[in-house]
Amino acid sequence: MEKILFTSESVSEGHPDKLCDQISDAILDECLKQDPNARVACECYITTNLLIIGGEIRVKGTIDYEKVARRLICNVGYESEEWGIDGNTCEVKVVIDEQSNDIAMGVDNGGAGDQGIMFGYATNETSDYMPLPISIAHDLILLATNLRKNNTFKDARPDMKSQVTIDYSDPNNLRIDTILMSIQHNENYNKVEFENFVKEHIMDEIAKKYQMNTDYKYLINPTGRFVIGGPKGDTGLTGRKIVVDTYGGMARIGGGAFSGKDATKVDRSASYMARYITKNIVAANLCDKCELQLSYGIGVAEPLSIFIETFNTEKISKDKIIDIIKNNFDLTPKGIVETLELKQPIYLQTSVGGHFGRGDFSWEKLDKVELLKEAVKN
């Protein structure tokens, strides 16, 4: 019988797309620090020694967009043109306008900032209610980055990718089939030493963390060389890694990205709410897996539709689960912002390592579990 394999990937803070996500969210945080009611839609494009910051922003205060961006780029570790970009000297173009009044008048009245479809997902296959492949992929990158930054990981540069394939053939005995890591490195490095470090101190460590097998297949920089990376190796755009940001392809994704958008944009806030709902539903044992879709119309407060998929794992009917959602969660944009406290400058920390399954973010709390259990009884 053929194996049942599923693969997810993650990318590091030094990946060009993630660099743009971080700059966009750093700018959002700076706006929210000065004005919690700021309206922000900020996107970035980056290439060799050039950053373009664009978007529509309405904020009470003065933001030095260029300063925020340069600081972020340098903090990631890009202070050399040889590495792809120098945050101190690169060209920065800022093209920012104010939010359209046509959009603002709908949002000011409590409506959604745009039309859109959003998904949330949770599964009980891991303790953080996330799919196993994406959780491992993120942790590989986060560990490698931390080791690079504390100078333990010799010759590593900021741009990294991971890819994890899980064998689902036996649901009671999940195994790692393959781990792939591509990690930018210095020109004159010891290849054997570098690859041994990756296998022993990154791949094996994360496998052990998840109590998984260490006899997996593995690939490290399979082209044989990864010196040219970062913005020099590839252009970057805000919002291009939405599968990495969400569930690694295990669940459907909505029509919009997250980074650089304030919480009036349901692309972001309703996705967070959908994750919050599904995580609490699975933790309350209403089902083993849960995928929730919400849809909105611009300027309209209530969702246009609610759809739920439980993959035949539901303990009560899906209709009853939808009724419980409607009766226990405020799904208006205003209600979502208030429930999840989304006017806080918390967004930069979401932009690497995924938006779900980690940290103490409000949408990861399990504070509705008992309420949902009680709702089932009633």
Side-chain angles (χ1 to χ4, degrees), residues 80-234:
S80 167
E81 291 186 31
E82 181 192 352
W83 284 25
I85 194 167
D86 185 341
N88 298 297
T89 61
C90 66
E91 182 180 2
V92 178
K93 294 183 179 180
V94 178
V95 190
I96 298 289
D97 295 320
E98 282 207 0
Q99 183 184 62
S100 162
N101 289 329
D102 292 351
I103 296 175
M105 66 181 182
V107 179
D108 292 341
N109 292 327
D114 200 353
Q115 71 177 53
I117 57 171
M118 281 60 65
F119 286 92
Y121 180 79
T123 173
N124 61 10
E125 71 182 52
T126 61
S127 60
D128 56 12
Y129 298 90
M130 287 289 287
L132 184 60
I134 190 66
S135 292
I136 294 178
H138 284 323
D139 278 358
L140 288 166
I141 289 296
L142 293 173
L143 175 57
T145 298
N146 287 337
L147 293 174
R148 174 183 69 82
K149 286 192 160 184
N150 67 22
N151 297 317
T152 303
F153 189 3
K154 185 181 177 183
D155 289 317
R157 292 183 180 180
D159 194 357
M160 308 177 185
K161 284 185 176 183
S162 69
Q163 187 169 286
V164 176
T165 301
I166 297 295
D167 184 349
Y168 280 90
S169 303
D170 181 355
N172 298 314
N173 183 31
L174 302 186
R175 293 176 57 82
I176 300 174
D177 183 84
T178 307
I179 297 179
L180 162 63
M181 294 195 76
S182 295
I183 300 175
Q184 186 186 16
H185 55 80
N186 290 332
E187 177 83 44
N188 298 313
Y189 80 122
N190 186 312
K191 186 174 185 292
V192 173
E193 183 181 287
F194 188 89
E195 293 183 357
N196 286 341
F197 185 92
V198 173
K199 174 64 169 66
E200 296 173 11
H201 298 284
I202 299 174
M203 292 180 173
D204 284 353
E205 285 299 314
I206 296 301
K208 292 173 185 175
K209 173 185 174 181
Y210 283 85
Q211 298 181 318
M212 301 293 288
N213 58 296
T214 56
D215 60 345
Y216 49 81
K217 299 186 289 290
Y218 67 94
L219 296 165
I220 300 169
N221 290 342
T223 67
R225 173 184 167 91
F226 187 13
V227 174
I228 300 173
K232 188 175 182 179
D234 195 6

Side-chain angles (χ1 to χ4, degrees), residues 20 24 41-45 52-56 96 238-239 257 259-261:
C20 289
S24 295
C42 177
E43 297 178 327
C44 298
Y45 166 89
I52 300 174
I53 304 170
E56 298 78 42
I96 298 289
T238 300
S259 290
K261 298 177 181 178

